[in-house]
Coordinates of all heavy atoms in Angstrom, one line a residue:
H75 N 10.7 -6.8 -11.7 CA 10.4 -6.5 -10.3 C 11.4 -7.2 -9.4 O 11.5 -8.4 -9.5 CB 9.0 -6.9 -9.9 CG 7.9 -6.2 -10.6 ND1 7.5 -4.9 -10.4 CD2 7.1 -6.7 -11.6 CE1 6.5 -4.7 -11.2 NE2 6.3 -5.7 -11.9
S76 N 12.0 -6.5 -8.6 CA 12.8 -7.2 -7.5 C 11.9 -7.0 -6.2 O 11.5 -6.0 -5.9 CB 14.2 -6.5 -7.3 OG 14.0 -5.2 -7.0
F77 N 11.7 -8.2 -5.6 CA 10.9 -8.2 -4.4 C 11.6 -7.5 -3.3 O 12.8 -7.7 -3.1 CB 10.5 -9.6 -4.0 CG 9.2 -9.6 -3.2 CD1 8.0 -9.4 -3.7 CD2 9.3 -9.8 -1.8 CE1 6.8 -9.4 -2.9 CE2 8.2 -9.8 -1.0 CZ 6.9 -9.6 -1.6
P78 N 10.9 -6.6 -2.5 CA 11.6 -5.9 -1.4 C 12.1 -6.9 -0.3 O 11.5 -8.0 -0.1 CB 10.6 -5.0 -0.9 CG 9.3 -5.6 -1.3 CD 9.5 -6.3 -2.6
T79 N 13.0 -6.5 0.4 CA 13.5 -7.2 1.6 C 12.5 -7.2 2.7 O 12.0 -6.1 3.1 CB 14.9 -6.6 2.1 OG1 15.8 -6.6 1.0 CG2 15.4 -7.5 3.3
R80 N 12.1 -8.3 3.2 CA 11.2 -8.4 4.3 C 11.9 -8.4 5.6 O 12.8 -9.2 5.9 CB 10.4 -9.7 4.2 CG 9.2 -9.7 5.1 CD 8.3 -10.9 4.8 NE 7.0 -10.7 5.4 CZ 5.9 -11.3 5.0 NH1 5.9 -12.2 4.0 NH2 4.7 -11.0 5.5
R81 N 11.6 -7.3 6.4 CA 12.3 -7.1 7.7 C 11.7 -7.9 8.8 O 12.3 -8.3 9.7 CB 12.3 -5.7 8.0 CG 13.1 -4.8 7.0 CD 13.0 -3.4 7.3 NE 13.7 -3.0 8.5 CZ 13.5 -1.9 9.2 NH1 12.7 -1.0 8.8 NH2 14.2 -1.7 10.3
S82 N 10.3 -8.1 8.7 CA 9.6 -8.9 9.7 C 8.3 -9.2 9.1 O 8.1 -9.0 7.9 CB 9.3 -8.0 11.0 OG 8.4 -7.0 10.7
S83 N 7.4 -9.8 9.8 CA 6.1 -10.2 9.2 C 5.3 -9.1 8.6 O 4.4 -9.3 7.8 CB 5.3 -11.0 10.3 OG 4.9 -10.1 11.3
D84 N 5.5 -7.9 9.1 CA 4.8 -6.7 8.6 C 5.6 -5.5 8.2 O 5.1 -4.4 8.0 CB 3.7 -6.3 9.6 CG 4.4 -5.8 10.9 OD1 5.6 -6.0 11.1 OD2 3.7 -5.3 11.8
Q85 N 6.9 -5.7 7.9 CA 7.8 -4.6 7.5 C 8.6 -5.1 6.3 O 9.2 -6.1 6.3 CB 8.6 -4.2 8.6 CG 7.9 -3.5 9.8 CD 8.9 -3.0 10.8 OE1 10.1 -3.2 10.8 NE2 8.4 -2.2 11.7
Y86 N 8.7 -4.2 5.3 CA 9.5 -4.4 4.2 C 10.4 -3.2 4.0 O 10.1 -2.0 4.3 CB 8.7 -4.5 2.9 CG 7.8 -5.7 2.9 CD1 6.5 -5.7 3.5 CD2 8.2 -6.9 2.3 CE1 5.7 -6.9 3.4 CE2 7.4 -8.0 2.2 CZ 6.2 -8.0 2.8 OH 5.4 -9.1 2.8
D87 N 11.6 -3.4 3.4 CA 12.5 -2.3 2.9 C 12.1 -2.1 1.5 O 12.5 -2.9 0.6 CB 13.9 -2.6 3.1 CG 14.4 -2.6 4.5 OD1 13.8 -1.7 5.3 OD2 15.3 -3.3 4.9
I88 N 11.5 -1.0 1.1 CA 11.0 -0.8 -0.2 C 11.8 0.4 -0.8 O 11.8 1.5 -0.2 CB 9.5 -0.5 -0.3 CG1 8.8 -1.7 0.2 CG2 9.1 0.0 -1.6 CD1 7.3 -1.6 0.3
T89 N 12.5 0.2 -1.9 CA 13.3 1.2 -2.5 C 12.8 1.7 -3.9 O 13.3 2.6 -4.4 CB 14.7 0.8 -2.7 OG1 14.8 -0.4 -3.4 CG2 15.4 0.5 -1.3
K90 N 11.8 0.9 -4.4 CA 11.2 1.2 -5.7 C 9.7 1.2 -5.7 O 9.1 0.4 -5.0 CB 11.7 0.2 -6.8 CG 13.2 0.1 -7.0 CD 13.6 -1.0 -7.9 CE 15.1 -1.1 -8.0 NZ 15.4 -2.3 -8.9
L91 N 9.1 2.0 -6.5 CA 7.6 2.1 -6.6 C 7.1 0.7 -7.0 O 6.1 0.2 -6.5 CB 7.2 3.1 -7.6 CG 5.8 3.7 -7.5 CD1 5.5 4.2 -6.1 CD2 5.6 4.8 -8.5
S92 N 7.8 0.0 -7.9 CA 7.4 -1.3 -8.4 C 7.3 -2.3 -7.2 O 6.5 -3.2 -7.2 CB 8.2 -1.9 -9.5 OG 9.6 -2.0 -9.0
Q93 N 8.2 -2.1 -6.2 CA 8.2 -3.0 -5.1 C 7.0 -2.8 -4.2 O 6.4 -3.7 -3.7 CB 9.5 -2.8 -4.2 CG 10.7 -3.3 -4.9 CD 12.0 -2.9 -4.1 OE1 12.0 -2.0 -3.4 NE2 13.0 -3.8 -4.3
L94 N 6.6 -1.5 -4.1 CA 5.4 -1.2 -3.3 C 4.2 -1.8 -3.9 O 3.3 -2.3 -3.2 CB 5.2 0.4 -3.2 CG 4.1 0.9 -2.3 CD1 4.3 0.4 -0.8 CD2 4.0 2.4 -2.4
K95 N 4.1 -1.7 -5.2 CA 3.0 -2.3 -6.0 C 3.0 -3.9 -5.8 O 1.9 -4.5 -5.6 CB 3.1 -2.0 -7.5 CG 1.9 -2.4 -8.2 CD 1.9 -1.8 -9.6 CE 0.6 -2.0 -10.3 NZ 0.5 -1.3 -11.6
T96 N 4.1 -4.5 -5.8 CA 4.2 -5.9 -5.6 C 3.7 -6.3 -4.2 O 3.0 -7.3 -4.0 CB 5.7 -6.4 -5.7 OG1 6.1 -6.1 -7.1 CG2 5.8 -7.9 -5.4
V97 N 4.1 -5.5 -3.2 CA 3.7 -5.8 -1.8 C 2.2 -5.6 -1.7 O 1.5 -6.4 -1.0 CB 4.4 -4.9 -0.8 CG1 3.8 -5.0 0.6 CG2 5.9 -5.3 -0.7
A98 N 1.7 -4.6 -2.3 CA 0.2 -4.3 -2.3 C -0.6 -5.4 -2.9 O -1.6 -5.9 -2.4 CB -0.1 -3.0 -3.0
K99 N -0.1 -6.0 -4.0 CA -0.7 -7.1 -4.7 C -0.7 -8.3 -3.8 O -1.7 -9.0 -3.6 CB 0.0 -7.4 -6.0 CG -0.3 -6.5 -7.1 CD 0.4 -7.0 -8.4 CE 0.1 -6.1 -9.5 NZ 0.9 -6.5 -10.8
Q100 N 0.4 -8.6 -3.1 CA 0.5 -9.7 -2.2 C -0.4 -9.6 -1.0 O -1.1 -10.5 -0.6 CB 2.0 -9.9 -1.8 CG 2.2 -11.1 -0.8 CD 1.8 -12.4 -1.4 OE1 2.1 -12.6 -2.6 NE2 1.3 -13.3 -0.7
F101 N -0.4 -8.4 -0.5 CA -1.3 -8.1 0.6 C -2.8 -8.3 0.3 O -3.5 -8.8 1.1 CB -1.1 -6.6 1.1 CG -1.7 -6.3 2.4 CD1 -1.3 -6.7 3.6 CD2 -2.9 -5.5 2.4 CE1 -1.9 -6.4 4.8 CE2 -3.5 -5.1 3.6 CZ -3.0 -5.6 4.8
A102 N -3.1 -7.9 -0.9 CA -4.5 -8.1 -1.4 C -4.9 -9.5 -1.4 O -6.1 -9.9 -1.1 CB -4.7 -7.4 -2.8
T103 N -4.0 -10.4 -1.7 CA -4.3 -11.8 -1.8 C -4.5 -12.4 -0.4 O -5.2 -13.4 -0.2 CB -3.2 -12.7 -2.5 OG1 -2.0 -12.6 -1.8 CG2 -3.0 -12.2 -3.9
E104 N -3.9 -11.8 0.6 CA -3.9 -12.3 2.0 C -5.0 -11.6 2.9 O -5.3 -12.0 4.0 CB -2.6 -12.1 2.7 CG -1.5 -12.8 2.0 CD -0.1 -12.5 2.5 OE1 0.0 -11.7 3.5 OE2 0.9 -12.9 2.0
L105 N -5.6 -10.5 2.3 CA -6.6 -9.7 3.1 C -7.9 -10.5 3.2 O -8.5 -11.0 2.3 CB -6.8 -8.4 2.3 CG -7.6 -7.3 3.0 CD1 -6.9 -6.9 4.3 CD2 -7.8 -6.2 2.0
Q106 N -8.4 -10.6 4.5 CA -9.7 -11.2 4.7 C -10.7 -10.1 4.6 O -10.5 -9.0 5.0 CB -9.7 -11.8 6.1 CG -8.7 -13.0 6.2 CD -8.7 -13.6 7.6 OE1 -9.7 -13.4 8.4 NE2 -7.8 -14.4 7.9
R107 N -11.9 -10.5 4.1 CA -12.9 -9.5 3.9 C -14.1 -9.9 4.7 O -14.4 -11.0 4.8 CB -13.3 -9.5 2.4 CG -12.1 -9.0 1.6 CD -12.5 -8.9 0.1 NE -11.2 -8.8 -0.6 CZ -11.0 -9.4 -1.7 NH1 -11.8 -10.2 -2.3 NH2 -9.8 -9.2 -2.3
P108 N -14.8 -8.9 5.3 CA -14.5 -7.5 5.3 C -13.3 -7.2 6.2 O -13.1 -7.9 7.2 CB -15.8 -6.8 5.7 CG -16.4 -7.8 6.6 CD -16.0 -9.2 6.0
S109 N -12.6 -6.1 5.9 CA -11.5 -5.7 6.8 C -11.5 -4.1 6.9 O -12.0 -3.4 6.0 CB -10.2 -6.1 6.2 OG -10.0 -7.5 6.2
V110 N -11.0 -3.7 8.0 CA -10.7 -2.3 8.2 C -9.2 -2.1 8.4 O -8.6 -2.8 9.2 CB -11.5 -1.7 9.4 CG1 -11.1 -0.3 9.7 CG2 -13.0 -1.9 9.2
L111 N -8.6 -1.2 7.6 CA -7.1 -1.0 7.7 C -6.9 0.4 8.2 O -7.6 1.3 7.9 CB -6.5 -1.2 6.4 CG -6.7 -2.5 5.6 CD1 -6.1 -2.5 4.3 CD2 -6.2 -3.7 6.4
A112 N -5.8 0.5 9.0 CA -5.4 1.8 9.5 C -3.9 1.9 9.1 O -3.1 1.1 9.4 CB -5.5 2.0 11.0
L113 N -3.6 2.9 8.3 CA -2.2 3.1 7.8 C -1.7 4.4 8.5 O -2.3 5.4 8.6 CB -2.1 3.4 6.3 CG -2.7 2.2 5.5 CD1 -2.6 2.6 4.0 CD2 -1.9 0.9 5.7
S114 N -0.5 4.3 9.1 CA 0.1 5.4 9.7 C 1.6 5.6 9.2 O 2.2 4.6 8.8 CB 0.1 5.3 11.2 OG 1.0 4.2 11.6
G115 N 2.0 6.8 9.1 CA 3.4 7.1 8.7 C 3.5 8.6 8.4 O 2.6 9.4 8.5
E116 N 4.8 9.0 8.2 CA 5.1 10.4 8.0 C 4.4 10.8 6.7 O 4.1 10.0 5.8 CB 6.6 10.5 7.9 CG 7.4 10.1 9.1 CD 7.2 11.1 10.2 OE1 7.1 12.3 9.9 OE2 7.3 10.7 11.4
L117 N 4.3 12.1 6.6 CA 3.8 12.7 5.4 C 4.7 12.4 4.2 O 6.0 12.5 4.4 CB 3.8 14.3 5.5 CG 3.1 15.1 4.5 CD1 1.6 14.7 4.4 CD2 3.2 16.6 4.8
G118 N 4.2 11.8 3.2 CA 5.0 11.4 2.0 C 5.6 10.0 2.1 O 6.4 9.6 1.3
A119 N 5.1 9.3 3.1 CA 5.7 7.9 3.3 C 5.2 6.9 2.3 O 5.8 5.9 2.1 CB 5.3 7.4 4.7
G120 N 4.1 7.2 1.6 CA 3.5 6.3 0.6 C 2.2 5.7 0.9 O 1.8 4.7 0.3
K121 N 1.5 6.2 2.0 CA 0.3 5.5 2.4 C -0.8 5.6 1.3 O -1.4 4.6 1.0 CB -0.2 6.2 3.7 CG 0.7 6.1 4.9 CD 0.2 6.9 6.0 CE 0.1 8.4 5.8 NZ 1.3 9.1 5.6
T122 N -0.9 6.8 0.7 CA -1.9 6.9 -0.4 C -1.5 6.0 -1.6 O -2.4 5.4 -2.2 CB -2.1 8.4 -0.8 OG1 -2.5 9.1 0.3 CG2 -3.1 8.5 -1.9
T123 N -0.3 6.0 -2.0 CA 0.2 5.2 -3.1 C 0.0 3.7 -2.8 O -0.5 3.0 -3.7 CB 1.7 5.5 -3.4 OG1 1.8 6.9 -3.6 CG2 2.1 4.7 -4.6
F124 N 0.3 3.3 -1.6 CA 0.0 1.9 -1.3 C -1.5 1.6 -1.4 O -1.9 0.6 -1.9 CB 0.5 1.6 0.2 CG 0.2 0.2 0.6 CD1 1.0 -0.9 0.2 CD2 -0.9 0.0 1.4 CE1 0.7 -2.2 0.6 CE2 -1.2 -1.3 1.8 CZ -0.4 -2.4 1.4
T125 N -2.3 2.5 -0.9 CA -3.8 2.3 -0.9 C -4.2 2.2 -2.4 O -5.1 1.4 -2.7 CB -4.5 3.4 -0.2 OG1 -4.0 3.4 1.2 CG2 -6.0 3.3 -0.2
Q126 N -3.7 3.1 -3.2 CA -4.1 3.1 -4.6 C -3.7 1.7 -5.3 O -4.5 1.1 -6.0 CB -3.4 4.2 -5.4 CG -3.9 5.6 -5.0 CD -3.0 6.7 -5.6 OE1 -1.8 6.5 -5.9 NE2 -3.6 7.8 -5.7
F127 N -2.5 1.2 -5.0 CA -2.1 -0.1 -5.5 C -2.9 -1.2 -4.9 O -3.3 -2.2 -5.7 CB -0.6 -0.3 -5.2 CG 0.3 0.5 -6.0 CD1 1.6 0.8 -5.5 CD2 0.0 1.0 -7.3 CE1 2.5 1.6 -6.2 CE2 0.9 1.7 -8.1 CZ 2.2 2.0 -7.5
L128 N -3.2 -1.1 -3.7 CA -4.0 -2.2 -3.0 C -5.4 -2.3 -3.6 O -5.9 -3.3 -4.0 CB -4.1 -1.9 -1.5 CG -5.0 -2.9 -0.7 CD1 -4.4 -4.3 -0.8 CD2 -5.1 -2.4 0.8
L129 N -6.1 -1.1 -3.7 CA -7.4 -1.1 -4.3 C -7.4 -1.5 -5.7 O -8.3 -2.2 -6.2 CB -8.1 0.3 -4.1 CG -8.4 0.6 -2.6 CD1 -8.9 2.0 -2.5 CD2 -9.3 -0.4 -2.0
Q130 N -6.4 -1.1 -6.5 CA -6.3 -1.6 -7.9 C -6.2 -3.1 -7.9 O -6.8 -3.7 -8.7 CB -5.0 -0.9 -8.5 CG -4.8 -1.3 -9.9 CD -3.5 -0.6 -10.4 OE1 -2.5 -0.7 -9.8 NE2 -3.6 0.0 -11.6
A131 N -5.4 -3.7 -7.0 CA -5.2 -5.1 -7.0 C -6.6 -5.8 -6.6 O -6.8 -7.0 -7.0 CB -4.1 -5.5 -6.0
L132 N -7.4 -5.1 -5.8 CA -8.7 -5.7 -5.4 C -9.8 -5.4 -6.5 O -10.9 -5.7 -6.3 CB -9.1 -5.1 -4.1 CG -8.2 -5.5 -2.9 CD1 -8.6 -4.7 -1.7 CD2 -8.4 -7.0 -2.6
G133 N -9.4 -4.7 -7.6 CA -10.4 -4.5 -8.7 C -11.2 -3.2 -8.5 O -12.2 -3.0 -9.3
V134 N -10.8 -2.3 -7.6 CA -11.5 -1.0 -7.5 C -11.0 -0.1 -8.5 O -9.8 0.1 -8.7 CB -11.3 -0.5 -6.1 CG1 -11.9 0.9 -5.9 CG2 -11.8 -1.4 -5.0
S135 N -11.9 0.6 -9.3 CA -11.5 1.5 -10.3 C -11.6 2.9 -10.0 O -11.1 3.8 -10.7 CB -12.3 1.2 -11.6 OG -13.7 1.4 -11.4
E136 N -12.3 3.3 -8.9 CA -12.4 4.7 -8.4 C -11.0 5.2 -8.0 O -10.2 4.5 -7.6 CB -13.4 4.8 -7.3 CG -14.8 4.6 -7.6 CD -15.2 3.1 -7.5 OE1 -14.4 2.3 -7.0 OE2 -16.3 2.8 -8.0
S137 N -10.9 6.5 -8.2 CA -9.6 7.2 -7.8 C -9.5 7.3 -6.3 O -10.5 7.4 -5.6 CB -9.5 8.5 -8.5 OG -10.5 9.4 -8.0
V138 N -8.3 7.3 -5.8 CA -8.0 7.4 -4.4 C -7.2 8.7 -4.2 O -6.2 8.8 -4.9 CB -7.3 6.2 -3.9 CG1 -6.9 6.3 -2.4 CG2 -8.0 4.9 -4.1
T139 N -7.6 9.5 -3.3 CA -6.8 10.7 -3.0 C -6.4 10.7 -1.5 O -7.0 10.0 -0.7 CB -7.6 12.0 -3.3 OG1 -8.8 12.0 -2.5 CG2 -8.0 12.1 -4.8
S140 N -5.4 11.5 -1.2 CA -4.9 11.6 0.1 C -5.8 12.5 1.0 O -6.1 13.6 0.6 CB -3.5 12.2 0.1 OG -3.1 12.6 1.4
P141 N -6.3 12.0 2.1 CA -7.1 12.8 3.0 C -6.3 14.0 3.5 O -6.8 15.1 3.7 CB -7.5 11.9 4.1 CG -6.7 10.6 4.0 CD -6.1 10.6 2.6
T142 N -5.0 13.8 3.7 CA -4.1 14.9 4.2 C -4.1 16.0 3.2 O -4.2 17.2 3.5 CB -2.7 14.4 4.6 OG1 -2.8 13.4 5.5 CG2 -1.9 15.5 5.1
F143 N -3.9 15.6 1.9 CA -3.9 16.6 0.8 C -5.2 17.4 0.8 O -5.1 18.6 0.6 CB -3.6 15.9 -0.5 CG -3.5 16.8 -1.7 CD1 -2.3 17.5 -1.9 CD2 -4.6 17.0 -2.5 CE1 -2.3 18.4 -3.0 CE2 -4.5 17.9 -3.6 CZ -3.3 18.6 -3.8
T144 N -6.3 16.8 1.0 CA -7.6 17.4 1.0 C -7.7 18.4 2.1 O -8.2 19.5 2.0 CB -8.7 16.4 1.1 OG1 -8.6 15.5 0.0 CG2 -10.1 17.0 1.0
I145 N -7.2 18.0 3.3 CA -7.3 18.9 4.5 C -6.4 20.1 4.3 O -6.8 21.2 4.6 CB -6.9 18.1 5.8 CG1 -8.0 17.1 6.1 CG2 -6.7 19.1 6.9 CD1 -7.6 16.1 7.1
V146 N -5.2 19.9 3.8 CA -4.3 21.0 3.7 C -4.7 22.0 2.6 O -4.6 23.2 2.8 CB -2.8 20.5 3.3 CG1 -1.9 21.6 2.9 CG2 -2.3 19.7 4.4
N147 N -5.4 21.5 1.6 CA -5.9 22.4 0.5 C -7.2 22.9 0.9 O -7.8 23.8 0.4 CB -5.9 21.7 -0.8 CG -4.5 21.5 -1.4 OD1 -3.7 22.4 -1.3 ND2 -4.3 20.4 -2.0

């Protein structure tokens, strides 16, 4: 894994899926519980993938699907 370049306290330049997983794992260690998160971004930006990695890092085994995909279908 090469760690992504950190642009600011809350922004990374991610070029590989493995980097997104690394950031999600790190974020999971810093997350205070309980928390509510809001993710925003363009369609296909990786919000669902990030959420899957984050929940995996937190020990959640249920599947995560995209709410946008559900609405469109």
Side-chain angles (χ1 to χ4, degrees):
H75 299 282
S76 60
F77 201 77
T79 303
R80 192 172 199 157
R81 296 174 70 197
S82 67
S83 63
D84 62 348
Q85 291 185 350
Y86 294 87
D87 286 328
I88 295 174
T89 58
K90 299 177 187 174
L91 201 54
S92 62
Q93 293 174 331
L94 186 61
K95 190 171 190 173
T96 299
V97 170
K99 284 182 181 180
Q100 180 63 36
F101 188 75
T103 66
E104 299 171 7
L105 190 63
Q106 296 180 15
R107 295 178 194 141
S109 291
V110 175
L111 305 176
L113 302 177
S114 65
E116 298 290 327
L117 190 63
K121 299 175 298 291
T122 300
T123 304
F124 176 80
T125 301
Q126 291 169 337
F127 288 151
L128 176 62
L129 293 178
Q130 183 182 44
L132 293 170
V134 176
S135 59
E136 289 86 11
S137 64
V138 178
T139 58
S140 167
T142 304
F143 181 80
T144 302
I145 291 169
V146 170
N147 286 319

